[in-house]
Amino acid sequence: KAGVTQTPRYLIKTRGQQVTLSCSPISGHRSVSWYQQTPGQGLQFLFEYFSETQRNKGNFPGRFSGRQFSNSRSEMNVSTLELGDSALYLCASSAWTGVTGANVLTFGAGSRLTVL
Amino acid sequence: GESVGLHLPTLSVQEGDNSIINCAYSNSASDYFIWYKQESGKGPQFIIDIRSNMDKRQGQRVTVLLNKTVKHLSLQIAATQPGDSAVYFCAEYNNDMRFGAGTRLTVKP
């Protein structure tokens, strides 16, 4: 079955602009998580959505937001872009249902954002 | 706050040797751990996982060891191959999945 699909793969923005990234999870997965990856850093947790509700949020400013649609597809938005927002943004989905314990995250290839 | 960390940022091994990548975690409430491999230009890929009620789990050429007493996780790769060259991340789960900084494994032919 198809994996996690992220679009766009690459994009360039300038400071002050806003950006929206899209993620289509594996079919049947209702949990979607977003991570920011920068050079020299590990993956930093942004937020997780389950059944259209934000379940968890990492330590990022309010400029970073997200949402999940009824078909489990998710988007994240970054407003008022800063140079430091240049990163690889990774989306992952899992079969977590809220009833059982944690499940494996399956990652997409990421959206590489460059802010000039 | 508590975090997941890795002991070494880089590891270089000879092809055919065994590799051991270590990870320290500090959240004793974490109950699920995963190792991921990330190759250049790709997202992290699942390698192996282990739940806190186990101390060892084996896969194909890989073994994960969990020592809850000292909050230590390790990934052993047997007969390391050039295709194993990548960055390896450990991750712990306690309500959400948190990742360590990563170790770059380089396999010398």
Side-chain angles (χ1 to χ4, degrees):
Chain A
K1 57 184 177 183
V4 177
T5 304
Q6 292 188 244
T7 57
R9 285 294 313 278
Y10 303 92
L11 67 167
I12 299 174
K13 294 285 187 179
T14 57
R15 282 179 296 176
Q17 288 187 310
Q18 66 93 26
V19 65
T20 299
L21 308 177
S22 179
C23 173
S24 294
I26 289 174
S27 178
H29 285 190
R30 294 160 58 194
S31 172
V32 174
S33 300
W34 288 89
Y35 290 82
Q36 181 196 65
Q37 186 175 30
T38 54
Q41 300 294 321
L43 289 84
Q44 304 295 312
F45 174 72
L46 281 157
F47 25 66
E48 179 190 1
Y49 287 87
F50 176 73
S51 291
E52 302 179 66
T53 301
Q54 188 180 88
R55 196 174 83 88
N56 287 306
K57 189 176 191 304
N59 296 322
F60 279 81
R63 300 186 297 107
F64 292 80
S65 63
R67 58 177 175 169
Q68 187 179 34
F69 302 95
S70 58
N71 62 358
S72 294
R73 191 177 70 83
S74 178
E75 288 181 348
M76 68 162 283
N77 183 278
V78 187
S79 63
T80 319
L81 284 166
E82 301 177 358
L83 295 179
D85 296 333
S86 294
L88 180 67
Y89 289 88
L90 291 158
C91 168
S93 72
S94 83
W96 186 81
T97 62
V99 176
T100 59
N103 288 90
V104 173
L105 296 179
T106 301
F107 284 86
S111 293
R112 183 164 295 282
L113 170 65
T114 301
V115 182
L116 303 177
Chain B
E2 299 185 291
S3 62
V4 179
L6 292 170
H7 289 306
L8 297 172
T10 61
L11 176 65
S12 183
V13 300
Q14 203 70 40
E15 181 179 358
D17 287 350
N18 297 333
S19 302
I20 299 177
I21 302 172
N22 296 303
C23 175
Y25 68 94
S26 56
N27 190 340
S28 57
S30 294
D31 59 5
Y32 181 55
F33 305 86
I34 303 181
W35 280 100
Y36 282 90
K37 170 186 179 183
Q38 187 175 25
E39 297 173 290
S40 181
K42 299 181 179 179
Q45 296 174 286
F46 169 83
I47 300 173
I48 191 168
D49 60 355
I50 188 168
R51 297 199 182 269
S52 59
N53 61 353
M54 303 172 67
D55 54 21
K56 180 179 180 179
R57 189 155 190 239
Q58 289 183 290
Q60 186 177 12
R61 285 201 305 117
V62 294
T63 300
V64 55
L65 299 177
L66 175 62
N67 185 330
K68 294 181 288 293
T69 301
V70 294
K71 300 189 185 70
H72 184 268
L73 192 69
S74 69
L75 175 70
Q76 300 178 0
I77 305 173
T80 313
Q81 303 168 359
D84 295 327
S85 293
V87 177
Y88 290 80
F89 296 94
C90 65
E92 63 175 327
Y93 181 85
N94 175 32
N95 202 41
D96 59 57
M97 197 75 74
R98 301 289 173 133
F99 288 76
T103 292
R104 180 173 298 280
L105 174 65
T106 301
V107 182
K108 297 176 289 185

